[in-house]
Amino acid sequence: MKTPKEEYPLYAVPNVRQFQDILRHGMEHHPDRLALADLSETPIAQVSYRQLFGHVLRFGRALLDAGCARRDHVAIIAENRVQWGIAYLAVTSFDMVAVPIDRNLQENEILTILHASRARVAIFSESFRDMFGTFQRSVRDLEILVDMDLPARRGTLHAMKEMMDMQDSAARVSTARDSALDGEGLPTIDPDALSVLVFTSGSMGRAKGVMLSQSAICANLRGMLQMVEIRSDDRFLSVLPIHHTYECTCGFLCPLVAGASAHYARSLKTVAEDMLRVRPTILLGVPLLFEKMYRRIMQAIAEKKLVAAVLRPLQALTGALESLGVQGVRRKLFHEVHERFGGAIRILIAGGAAPDIEVSRGFRALGFSFLQGYGLTETSPILALNRLRKFKDEAAGLPLPGVTLRIDDPDGEGRGEILASGPSLMLGYYRNAEATAEVLQDGWLRTGDFGSIDEDGFLHINGRKKNVIIARNGENVFPEEIEDEVNRIPLVLECVVYGKKDESGNESIAVMIVPEANLVYGIAESAGVEVTPAYVRELLQKEIRVLNRRLPVHKQIRSVEVKETEFEKTTTQKIKRYLVQGGSGD
């Protein structure tokens, strides 16, 4: 185990220990500041911190009046919106358990999570109205349904806004349930108890529910805010699915602790327009999102041939000036690029997977502060994070305050499975003692990721343990590292590297590539040839042969397959690797 050689000053943060603390802090310090805002038309389009506190109180009370009880499990499923945040905070602040569900799952997967979570209550947007009407008859525990978009109750469907409007906190008749509420109308809760139940897989029989407490999530929030300064005038543009722990903790709760605002983009397709409208200062994304943005920027620069020719010298010159203390030179020089992001971006933050180092450095060379972090749903989620003035683009970051990382059974290069301990670890997997025992051992979480820790205390990620390819010489080959190399080839849109067994049972390295169609057709047109599968394959094989010359023998790619359509992905834009296993394409 290694730790940083020197201490770096940490920022002071509010001492939040549970979600009620977040609501109270916002109400006391910036009641009239904007907290949450939708860019789509919704029944509650935006709220100040004062309004958020009031809405959470009213909706929490309304849920009790509708028959909900403390410790009930409450499923929440909707697109990113203000009402999602109100529902989440009301459920957890009133001592119920929130079960955030991915809105992009198939109906059968949603049904599986409802059964596995034992949800008694469901809160949803109108696109799920018919689905839940059916589910109420088929899901054993499901009794209470709340629709975010109905203007008034319809049969057994409660209307969220109507429920809140009916609550008159000043002249409310006391009930037996109220005896457990404090002067503000909030119950006393145990911050160490199960509060959020997040399912990492919706597949029948394989759904694992990660049990998180409010104290674990708040410890994660405090650690992040100690390492990266978030200001009350920051504006977050929310583009990732809010049910996911990364977006929920970092993109929703984090700005609320800091007194900043979160703005919900209409969709991934409208991000460019929404950035111009919001002028965000902070954008959280996954590597694929930033890679696509960076490619578009570089393509636009390439079209201006004169600009492209002087780009590298200009970046080197501005870098030298800034190293001498002349700040903001790159931002001014590449102001047109910054205007595409709204002109106010202060920090780009990548999570969910490791970004390509060329993308990280590329954004930085254009004047953006680009940070990456590392974590898991099981750790609430962040374990390591780069800092604005202490970073390594090739590293996942430094451990958060209170987090300890160590490498289990390291090899000759110091690489091994990453183990983590600290206050943000999960309680375990819901009703799955066997799976819990596999990963939680003596206060340490086995992450399933391989990595190393350098002499400065930075964590470096090699790849997932389950994806490792064992080369013929016995060396571990991490597909993710080779994918970074392949994805830098302009003709490659995306790829998956995997182990392909030959007749003797030995694994060789194979790659499945989705080509960049526009470039392929452009090359074919210039050469006066027809685009055929054989032609595309030969183009890509030629590029892989060039790449292989730069790779050690045990990492060289021996098989190339071409896939015409993009890989199926999770909602956080991770390729579903298991669908490629064995070399099957579609």
Side-chain angles (χ1 to χ4, degrees), residues 486 492 496 498 500 509-514 536-545 548 557-563:
V486 176
V492 175
V496 169
Y498 59 96
K500 188 174 185 178
I509 298 172
V511 64
M512 185 174 291
I513 296 173
V514 179
V536 176
R537 183 182 175 85
E538 177 53 35
L539 275 180
L540 293 171
Q541 285 180 325
K542 183 179 178 181
E543 294 287 347
I544 295 300
R545 285 194 291 270
N548 277 341
I557 298 166
R558 304 300 179 185
S559 174
V560 178
E561 296 189 42
V562 180
K563 190 176 187 295

Side-chain angles (χ1 to χ4, degrees), residues 177 289 530:
R177 284 189 294 272
L289 175 67
E530 182 183 354

Side-chain angles (χ1 to χ4, degrees), residues 110-170:
I110 296 171
L111 186 64
T112 295
I113 291 176
L114 291 172
H115 278 291
S117 67
R118 301 193 166 187
R120 181 168 175 257
V121 186
I123 304 169
F124 50 86
S125 59
E126 62 183 337
S127 55
F128 297 95
R129 187 178 299 156
D130 294 339
M131 185 187 299
F132 274 92
T134 303
F135 285 170
Q136 192 173 30
R137 295 188 292 272
S138 58
V139 178
R140 179 189 57 207
D141 297 301
L142 192 59
E143 296 179 22
I144 300 170
L145 302 181
V146 181
D147 191 308
M148 292 183 180
D149 294 292
L150 277 178
R153 179 166 179 166
R154 181 187 299 174
T156 60
L157 291 181
H158 295 272
M160 180 175 177
K161 192 166 186 307
E162 180 186 55
M163 291 171 71
M164 294 162 62
D165 290 342
M166 290 174 66
Q167 293 294 317
D168 185 348
S169 58

Side-chain angles (χ1 to χ4, degrees), residues 280-295:
T281 60
I282 297 177
L283 179 65
L284 270 65
V286 291
L288 186 61
L289 175 67
F290 289 121
E291 285 166 17
K292 287 183 175 180
M293 288 179 171
Y294 185 68
R295 282 194 182 203

Side-chain angles (χ1 to χ4, degrees), residues 404-430:
T404 303
L405 302 175
R406 69 179 175 90
I407 305 302
D408 186 47
D409 191 23
D411 62 16
E413 298 180 30
R415 303 178 308 183
E417 185 176 4
I418 302 163
L419 272 58
S421 69
S424 62
L425 265 57
M426 69 172 179
L427 299 170
Y429 293 117
Y430 183 60

